[in-house]
């Protein structure tokens, strides 16, 4: 049965360009947004989910995938990664995550995504079909991009060319801190940290104020062309959608007091924010719910931020946020091992998050938080056909991914790793 | 705050001391050595496994742990760890630092010991870092949280030493501080030369001592003994087969290099650590009788890790290598059971083969398998009780026993956390009503 299904799909892969319609039949369809459909079908046409249900008519000429005994899930979305922006951690030539300078709101991760990165197939063969790839450096690191994990060019991959401005929020805390430039840690006194924090906040506020003035000047000149021409400023131009609250600022922050400061800052500056990482989010859960600030938390498999924290605080954080009514998603925060995203969610489930919520935390929730739930995150007609076909619970490590569709096309399950495995398995 | 936590934890340990006999009953026993026993019991006497099977009778005064619905696994053994070390793990000022040892720097209050214990780890091979072709001596410890450094040492474990090959001892990915010179070696050629030179000196050292002792036996005039050298003493133990070499290495070529050198000097490498390209030369590693302790799926963090694959462990195991999966990380160690499960997905190992990677196989590699690594009569009662099969992502350790004593109990941990929370709240309240003008208590800083 399984062999037959694979054969059909193999045939179909080679013909993928000829026929753009597929039907996955006899599957357990886990829609995420609605009830599970046992023995259901999913129809894929022109890159989109055309229909889903117990019995739906197949378009003429559609390729059939018999998925008896298998389950279909929406592709997983990792909302905080560096996929495509880095290849080999220690080789700076392969890293495009950290630009020089502190304030780079105009830089785009989209520009640096390497579609041929070996990390891309490695992630997608475990069901991760969409990632947010983001820069890291400085205070305003640049703008993230949301990409599907298949495509000849980044243009083909992009779901949203820009998907938020990354802000590394200044920390007011001292203590041992890692200097990313030299990879060494250094003791920072509270007085020094406070000075740095205040300077950082001053600079940020001043930059945002410049942006607002720039916007006002632009608006004024649009009304009155007689006003002097405005000198173009790429940095300030880039800030406009964030100053207007149209686009989210992705605030990377971890400690409790820093989260509190970030929320206050966002409120006074009228920014729409999403927290990234936020290791101590569970300690300010009520505040996060009250302010309706979502959190992309992870990795779940992390050590506690404080020595006297519960040993399992990171694993329990998604459950604590869910209980408090905070909007959240789970992320791997990785590059090479984004493939482990389902196990991050599984671990959160082991430590108290209901399994259905754990699945949503890597599908529908990140799509909602990133404002793309109209296109991603569940199996619903009209959404992008990012689908994963498995032989069991995808949050379980032993489960195998049998087929992956990205934007309506079946993708190869071959990776650098499977190639090396086959080669050396056959070494005499 | 730290001291407070510590007192609470030690109290918890002390409560476990009373019972001499413990009976764990109604559990699924994953013995690792002889399959799975459903509805099984384990009788523990004086810290050792006294009986394993169904319907065991326990002495009247035995402490009974009803483990209905739970799974029991032998305690997890991490063959590559750097927890519980005070200060740095690298004596990187010299390329050969065999004179230093981790056992001199063990810190039994490192909170990561407790965190790993809560993840099911009961034994760890604490290694020197990888900055040197020949690093320092190791320390195999049991995670007896609450005990002294000396009491944590695994009694009778064969001593070992860390070697390192490739980018780290070459210092490829590290910036040389301004004003200082790069350290030799800087190539894989130099790494081999450093090891060969050190072993050559050690061989001569042995010969000098043997010659001295032989002459002493003849009863002739007293001779001046050769000068004691702590570095060469340690290296001589390797040549005599008394000290296990655990060598960090990635690429296939450097793995073969060290196998050649060891053969030439007449000893066996106990384990290659990381050994991410081990799958390329699995046959040669197996033929040398050398173990391989690898990561489940880390890759691409440096050039020598770019050909790493998650199929490595399974492929080496298939080709006859004794393989373990290690953590090299206080975080990763807490879910080594999950890491083992990955070898079923990548390479198709069986459940038992997967479980062995974090229990019996690392025990064999450290030559402590007569004491730990499986649920067998006579072995130490180092056991983990999970609420689900440990190869499931949903499994959480509920109790962890070392030498038959409960060192971690999830329920007790929760109670302590609640007590700690309440105490913190109380202190915060007290802080509010502190008269103004009085300084708050200075926090002691670590020297």
């Amino acid at each position: 049965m399984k062999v037959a299904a694979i054969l059909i799909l193999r045939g179909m892969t080679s013909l993928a360009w000829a026929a753009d319609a597929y039907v996955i039949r006899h599957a357990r369809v886990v829609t995420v947004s609605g009830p599970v459909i046992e023995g259901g079908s999913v129809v894929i046409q022109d890159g989109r989910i055309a229909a889903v249900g117990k019995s739906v008519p197949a378009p003429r000429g559609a390729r059939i995938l018999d998925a008896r005994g298998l389950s279909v899930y929406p592709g997983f979305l990792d909302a905080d990664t560096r996929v495509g922006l880095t290849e080999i951690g220690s080789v700076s030539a392969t890293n495009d995550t950290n630009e020089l300078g502190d304030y780079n709101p105009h830089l785009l991760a989209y520009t640096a995504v390497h579609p041929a990165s070996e990390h891309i197939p490695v992630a997608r063969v475990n069901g991760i079909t969409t990632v947010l790839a983001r820069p890291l450096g400085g205070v305003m690191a640049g703008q993230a991009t949301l990409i599907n994990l298949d495509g000849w060019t980044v243009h083909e991959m992009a779901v949203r060319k820009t998907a938020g401005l990354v802000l590394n929020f200044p920390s007011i805390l001292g203590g041992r801190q890692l200097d990313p430039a030299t990879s060494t840690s250094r003791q920072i006194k509270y007085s020094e940290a406070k000075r740095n924090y205040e300077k950082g906040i001053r600079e940020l506020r001043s930059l945002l104020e410049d942006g607002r003035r720039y916007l006002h000047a632009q608006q004024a000149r649009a009304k009155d062309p007689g006003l002097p021409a405005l000198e173009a400023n790429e940095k300030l131009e880039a800030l406009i959608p964030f100053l207007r609250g149209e686009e989210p600022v992705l605030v990377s922050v971890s400690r409790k007091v820093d989260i509190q400061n970030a929320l206050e800052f966002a409120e006074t500056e009228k920014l729409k924010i999403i927290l990234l990482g936020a290791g101590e989010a569970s300690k300010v859960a009520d505040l996060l719910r009250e302010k309706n600030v979502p959190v992309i938390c992870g990795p779940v498999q992390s050590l506690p931020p404080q020595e006297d924290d519960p040993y399992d605080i990171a694993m329990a954080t998604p459950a604590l946020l869910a209980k408090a009514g905070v909007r959240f998603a789970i992320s791997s925060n990785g590059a090479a091992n984004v493939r482990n995203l389902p196990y991050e969610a599984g671990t959160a489930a082991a430590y108290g998050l209901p399994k259905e919520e754990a699945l949503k935390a890597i599908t529908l929730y990140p799509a909602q938080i990133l404002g793309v739930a109209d296109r991603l995150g569940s199996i619903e007609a009209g959404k992008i056909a990012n689908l994963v076909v498995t032989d069991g619970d995808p949050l379980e490590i032993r489960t195998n991914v049998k087929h992956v569709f990205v934007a309506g096309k079946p993708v190869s399950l071959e990776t650098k790793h499977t190639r090396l495995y086959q080669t050396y398995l056959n070494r005499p | 705050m730290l001291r407070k936590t510590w007192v609470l934890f030690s109290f918890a340990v002390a409560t476990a001391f009373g019972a001499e006999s413990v009976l764990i009953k109604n559990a699924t026993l994953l013995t690792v050595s002889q399959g799975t026993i459903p509805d099984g019991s384990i009788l523990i006497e004086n810290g050792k496994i006294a009986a394993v099977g169904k319907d065991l009778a326990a002495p009247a005064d035995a402490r009974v742990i009803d483990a209905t619905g739970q799974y029991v696994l032998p305690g997890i053994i991490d063959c590559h760890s750097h927890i519980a070390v005070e200060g740095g793990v690298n004596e990187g000022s010299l390329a050969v630092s065999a004179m230093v040892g981790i056992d001199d720097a063990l810190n039994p209050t490192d909170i990561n010991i407790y965190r790993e214990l809560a993840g099911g780890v009961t034994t760890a091979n604490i290694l020197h870092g990888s900055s040197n072709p020949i690093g320092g001596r190791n320390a195999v410890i049991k995670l007896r949280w609450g005990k002294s450094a000396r009491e944590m040492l695994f009694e009778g474990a064969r001593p070992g030493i860390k070697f390192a090959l490739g980018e780290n001892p070459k210092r490829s990915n590290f910036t040389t501080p301004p004003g200082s010179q790069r350290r030799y070696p800087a190539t894989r050629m130099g790494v081999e030369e450093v090891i060969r030179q050190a072993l050559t000196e050690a061989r001569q050292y042995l010969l000098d001592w043997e010659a001295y002792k032989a002459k002493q036996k003849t009863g002739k005039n007293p001779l001046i003994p050769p000068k004691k050298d702590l570095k060469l003493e340690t290296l001589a133990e390797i040549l005599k087969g008394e000290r296990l070499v655990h060598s960090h290495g990635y690429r296939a070529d450097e793995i073969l290099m060290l196998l050649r050198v060891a053969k030439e000097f007449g000893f066996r490498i106990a384990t290659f650590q990381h050994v991410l390209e081990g799958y390329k030369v699995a046959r040669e590693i197996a033929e040398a009788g050398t173990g391989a302790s690898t990561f489940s799926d880390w890759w691409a963090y440096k050039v020598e890790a770019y050909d790493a694959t998650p199929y490595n462990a399974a492929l080496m195991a298939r080709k006859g290598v004794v393989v373990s999966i290690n953590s090299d990380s206080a975080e990763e160690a807490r879910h080594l059971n999950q890491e083992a499960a990955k070898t079923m997905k990548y390479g198709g190992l069986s459940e038992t083969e997967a479980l062995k990677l974090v229990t019996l196989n690392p025990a064999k590699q450290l030559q402590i398998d007569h004491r730990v690594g499986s649920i067998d009569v006579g072995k130490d009662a180092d056991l983990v009780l999970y609420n689900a099969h440990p190869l499931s992502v949903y499994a959480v350790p509920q109790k962890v026993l070392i030498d038959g004593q409960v060192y971690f109990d999830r329920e007790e941990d929760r109670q302590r956390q609640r007590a700690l929370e309440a105490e913190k709240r109380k202190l915060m309240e007290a802080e509010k009503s502190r008269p103004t003008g009085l300084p708050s208590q200075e926090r002691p800083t670590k020297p």
Side-chain angles (χ1 to χ4, degrees):
Chain A
M1 171 51 62
K2 277 179 191 166
V3 174
I6 289 163
L7 286 177
I8 291 168
L9 196 68
R10 283 250 170 87
M12 164 168 125
T13 309
S14 59
L15 289 166
W17 295 105
D20 266 350
Y22 309 91
V23 180
I24 303 171
R25 277 225 168 111
H26 308 302
R28 184 169 178 270
V29 182
V30 182
T31 62
V32 172
S33 53
V36 172
I37 305 165
E38 300 289 347
S41 298
V42 182
V43 179
I44 301 164
Q45 200 156 22
D46 301 326
R48 298 269 167 169
I49 297 166
V52 53
K54 192 87 183 169
S55 70
V56 286
R60 190 192 298 266
R63 297 269 150 184
I64 309 291
L65 168 63
D66 189 333
R68 226 174 285 256
L70 303 177
S71 302
V72 191
Y73 292 84
F76 307 133
L77 197 172
D78 195 329
D80 186 7
T81 80
R82 285 161 280 128
V83 170
L85 303 177
T86 175
E87 193 68 25
I88 300 180
S90 70
V91 181
S92 64
T94 70
N95 293 326
D96 288 301
T97 50
N98 294 53
E99 189 44 88
L100 301 177
D102 284 338
Y103 300 95
N104 291 312
H106 53 319
L107 300 187
L108 306 184
Y110 177 87
T111 307
V113 169
H114 182 43
S117 167
E118 298 284 3
H119 298 198
I120 290 172
V122 165
R124 79 179 171 216
V125 298
N126 211 28
I128 292 84
T129 54
T130 308
V131 299
L132 180 104
R134 66 148 174 128
L136 305 177
V139 181
M140 274 187 190
Q143 295 186 41
T145 187
L146 188 69
I147 52 173
N148 278 336
L149 293 184
D150 187 45
W152 296 93
T153 66
V154 70
H155 178 73
E156 288 179 17
M157 297 166 79
V159 177
R160 294 197 59 192
K161 183 178 178 183
T162 60
L165 170 64
V166 177
L167 171 63
N168 292 312
F169 194 75
S171 175
I172 199 167
L173 289 163
R176 278 210 94 72
Q177 284 180 12
L178 192 74
D179 179 358
T182 58
S183 301
T184 51
S185 65
R186 189 169 78 87
Q187 191 72 29
I188 294 178
K189 280 186 187 159
Y190 175 69
S191 53
E192 186 188 343
K194 190 160 177 281
R195 254 196 329 272
N196 292 345
Y197 168 77
E198 282 163 358
K199 178 170 167 278
I201 294 298
R202 255 197 325 273
E203 288 177 358
L204 270 174
R205 286 200 198 281
S206 144
L207 179 62
L208 296 175
E209 185 53 30
D210 287 352
R212 272 186 217 101
R213 285 165 193 264
Y214 183 81
L215 175 59
H216 290 156
Q218 232 178 28
Q219 286 165 339
R221 191 163 192 274
K223 277 186 199 158
D224 179 2
L227 288 171
L230 189 64
E231 198 182 325
N233 184 318
E234 278 200 60
K235 274 191 196 191
L236 302 181
E237 188 76 45
L239 287 173
I240 291 173
F242 307 102
L243 293 169
R244 284 182 155 153
E246 294 163 357
E247 294 294 326
V249 177
L250 308 171
V251 181
S252 174
V253 66
S254 66
R255 299 284 295 277
K256 179 180 166 183
V257 63
D258 292 331
I259 297 174
Q260 288 166 330
N261 287 341
L263 292 183
E264 198 188 308
F265 178 83
E267 199 160 70
T268 54
E269 295 294 330
K270 299 188 179 57
L271 301 173
K272 178 177 145 190
I273 61 168
I274 297 168
L275 300 187
L276 298 180
E280 296 192 7
S282 63
K283 297 176 185 174
V284 284
D286 291 340
L287 182 66
L288 290 166
R289 186 204 39 233
E290 190 188 308
K291 304 285 179 195
N292 193 23
V293 170
V295 182
I296 293 165
C297 51
V300 172
Q301 295 183 335
S302 292
L303 288 173
Q306 302 292 310
E307 186 160 353
D308 59 351
D309 278 333
Y311 78 94
D312 60 351
I313 188 170
M315 288 91 93
T317 289
L320 295 169
L321 294 181
K323 212 173 153 191
V326 179
R327 294 166 65 207
F328 72 101
I330 292 173
S331 149
S332 74
N333 188 26
N337 270 345
V338 164
R339 61 180 160 196
N340 289 335
L341 177 67
Y343 316 141
E344 293 285 333
T347 301
Y351 287 84
L353 185 67
K355 285 183 190 178
E356 302 73 33
E357 287 286 297
L359 183 62
K360 282 184 179 171
I362 57 171
T363 53
L364 194 54
Y365 290 165
Q368 288 170 343
I369 291 170
L370 296 174
V372 290
D374 56 331
R375 286 182 280 167
L376 294 170
S378 63
I379 304 183
E380 285 177 89
K383 288 198 178 185
I384 297 171
N386 285 356
L387 300 164
V388 189
V389 183
T390 70
D391 62 3
D393 176 0
L395 307 191
E396 278 284 21
I397 294 161
R398 294 154 69 179
T399 296
N400 296 298
V401 169
K402 309 301 256 185
H403 310 283
V404 176
F405 289 81
V406 177
K409 293 194 192 78
V411 295
S412 163
L413 297 186
E414 189 183 295
T415 68
K416 177 176 163 67
H417 300 163
T418 59
R419 287 193 297 275
L420 283 166
Y421 176 56
Q422 288 304 330
T423 302
Y424 286 92
L425 191 62
N426 296 323
R427 185 192 157 194
Chain B
M1 188 49 71
L2 170 62
R3 198 179 310 149
K4 207 82 188 177
T5 318
W6 182 195
V7 169
L8 285 163
F9 282 140
S10 6
F11 173 74
V13 170
T15 56
F17 279 2
E20 285 286 86
S21 301
V22 181
L23 180 74
I24 300 170
K25 62 175 196 182
N26 303 331
T28 303
L29 310 181
L30 304 164
T31 67
V32 174
S33 55
Q34 48 195 327
T36 300
I37 303 173
D39 294 319
S41 300
I42 301 171
L43 179 65
I44 300 164
E45 302 268 12
N46 300 316
K48 299 274 182 187
I49 297 170
V52 180
K54 296 200 172 214
D55 307 318
L56 295 180
D61 63 341
R63 176 182 174 188
V64 177
I65 299 173
D66 186 347
T68 304
Q70 299 193 347
Y71 291 77
V72 186
L73 186 71
I76 286 175
I77 299 169
D78 186 356
C79 199
H80 192 124
S81 174
H82 300 295
I83 60 164
V85 183
E86 186 66 38
V89 297
N90 270 309
E91 181 47 66
S93 53
L94 293 165
V96 179
S97 61
M99 70 294 278
V100 307
I102 290 294
D103 48 339
D104 289 331
L106 274 182
N107 169 14
T109 66
D110 179 1
I111 190 66
N112 285 327
I113 299 172
Y114 181 75
R115 290 168 176 166
E116 292 198 3
L117 186 65
V121 180
T122 55
T123 295
N125 182 23
I126 313 297
L127 290 166
H128 185 275
S130 54
S131 68
N132 311 339
I134 297 181
R137 303 185 305 267
N138 73 335
V140 180
I141 65 166
K142 281 207 187 188
L143 275 58
R144 295 174 179 127
W145 178 244
K147 298 289 183 72
S148 70
R150 190 155 294 275
E151 287 166 325
M152 282 195 187
L153 291 173
F154 195 118
E155 321 73 16
R158 194 180 281 273
I161 189 168
K162 176 78 170 280
F163 278 28
L165 315 174
E167 292 180 24
N168 289 12
K170 288 186 332 146
R171 314 308 289 152
S172 304
N173 307 315
F174 304 87
T175 37
T176 311
S180 52
Q181 281 187 317
R182 284 194 72 181
R183 191 199 69 185
Y184 180 86
T187 65
R188 286 186 167 81
M189 300 181 288
V191 170
E192 179 186 14
E193 192 276 337
V194 166
I195 294 172
R196 185 181 293 280
Q197 178 66 31
L199 294 174
T200 303
E201 283 172 33
R203 188 160 59 186
Q204 189 57 48
Y205 184 76
L206 267 182
L207 288 173
D208 291 348
W209 273 98
E210 277 163 21
Y212 168 71
K213 281 174 188 162
K215 278 186 189 165
Q216 224 179 11
K217 270 187 193 156
T218 63
K220 286 187 181 168
N221 52 338
L223 295 154
I224 301 168
K227 189 182 170 190
K228 270 269 188 212
D229 184 312
L230 296 182
K231 178 182 84 178
L232 297 177
E233 284 284 320
T234 305
L235 295 176
E237 288 167 8
I238 297 171
L239 298 177
K240 289 189 283 185
E242 294 166 0
R243 186 172 286 279
L244 304 179
V245 174
H246 302 293
S247 183
H248 160 121
Y250 283 78
R251 254 169 47 178
D253 51 277
E254 65 198 17
I255 291 164
L256 295 182
M257 175 279 282
L258 192 62
L259 290 178
R260 285 196 302 272
V261 170
K263 195 173 176 188
E264 181 186 326
F265 282 87
F267 69 96
R268 186 172 66 84
I269 303 294
T271 67
F272 280 108
Q273 299 283 327
H274 313 326
V275 58
L276 296 188
E277 287 191 15
Y279 67 95
K280 294 184 178 178
V281 287
R283 196 181 68 209
E284 287 82 352
I285 297 172
E287 280 167 6
T290 291
S293 189
T294 188
F295 297 134
S296 60
D297 63 358
W298 291 358
W299 72 294
Y301 45 94
K302 48 184 171 174
V303 172
E304 62 188 6
Y306 199 50
D307 266 6
T309 94
Y311 297 92
N312 188 37
L315 214 158
M316 289 193 292
R318 290 259 177 276
K319 303 229 172 179
V321 181
V322 174
V323 181
S324 67
I325 286 184
N326 69 49
S327 78
D328 196 8
S329 143
E331 200 297 305
E332 190 88 349
R334 307 190 300 164
H335 43 87
L336 281 172
N337 53 314
Q338 288 188 16
E339 304 314 306
K342 288 175 182 169
T343 62
M344 298 180 71
K345 183 188 184 84
Y346 302 109
L349 291 192
S350 70
E351 276 188 8
T352 301
E353 284 173 321
L355 290 173
K356 278 185 181 175
L357 298 175
V358 293
T359 55
L360 193 54
N361 288 2
K364 285 181 181 168
Q365 292 174 341
L366 296 169
Q367 298 187 14
I368 49 176
D369 51 316
H370 59 295
R371 287 274 306 276
V372 291
S374 61
I375 301 179
D376 279 304
V377 172
K379 286 200 179 182
D380 298 4
D382 295 3
L383 304 163
V384 190
L385 277 64
Y386 288 93
N387 60 350
H389 194 293
L391 293 170
S392 163
V393 77
Y394 304 119
V396 176
Q398 304 297 307
K399 282 187 174 61
V400 181
L401 284 73
I402 298 175
D403 309 320
Q405 290 168 16
V406 179
Y407 276 84
F408 170 77
D409 184 309
R410 186 155 160 83
E411 197 40 54
E412 282 175 21
D413 179 272
R414 282 180 166 172
Q415 284 169 19
R416 280 197 303 279
Q417 288 302 341
R418 279 194 287 269
L420 203 59
E421 261 319 301
E423 190 186 358
K424 276 186 200 173
R425 271 197 302 273
K426 215 168 126 188
L427 287 169
M428 299 285 273
E429 284 305 312
E431 179 71 12
K432 278 182 199 161
S433 54
R434 181 167 56 83
T436 48
L438 285 177
S440 62
Q441 192 127 11
E442 274 298 312
R443 266 204 196 170
T445 49
K446 266 193 178 175

